[in-house]
Amino acid sequence: MQQDKHPDYHSVVFRDRAAGYAFLTRSTAVSDRTIEWDDGQTYPVVDVEISSKSHPFYTGTARTVDTEGRVARFEKRYGTGAGGQDGTDQDGAGRDEADQSGTN
C-alpha cells in the first residue's frame, strides 16, 4: 500500500445543536473548533443540522400525510373510477355502452 495516500482518520465529535446531542466517533472530517469531551481529551467538533436524535423518522414524530385530501382531489379530477356516478370522462364526454357494461 502506498504511504501518504489516505486522508487522516482521527477521533471527531459530531454535535447536533438542535437536539443537544453529541457523539464521539472516528472520521476524516476536519474542523477548526474543538471541544473537551467526557474523557478529558480535546477533540475537533463538527456541528450537524440533523442526527438520529432530531430526525423525525427516528424520533417517531414524522408527519402523517393527508391521504383523505389526496383521494378526494384525485376523484374530483379523474372521477370515481369504473362505474362512476356521472358516466362522463374527465373531459365531459360520455362513455359508450361497451365501456359502461364492463366488457371490452
Side-chain angles (χ1 to χ4, degrees), residues 36-69:
E36 186 172 332
W37 194 244
D38 299 335
D39 61 1
Q41 300 267 348
T42 302
Y43 298 104
V45 63
V46 176
D47 289 324
V48 294
E49 293 189 24
I50 198 157
S51 70
S52 62
K53 294 292 182 182
S54 61
H55 192 280
F57 179 78
Y58 296 108
T59 60
T61 58
R63 293 180 291 165
T64 57
V65 178
D66 180 22
T67 56
E68 183 178 347

Side-chain angles (χ1 to χ4, degrees), residues 10-17 21-23 29-37 42-48:
H10 54 274
S11 297
V12 178
V13 174
F14 285 93
R15 178 173 52 189
D16 182 355
R17 289 189 173 259
Y21 176 69
F23 58 94
V30 294
S31 176
D32 295 335
R33 290 175 280 155
T34 60
I35 188 172
E36 186 172 332
W37 194 244
T42 302
Y43 298 104
V45 63
V46 176
D47 289 324
V48 294

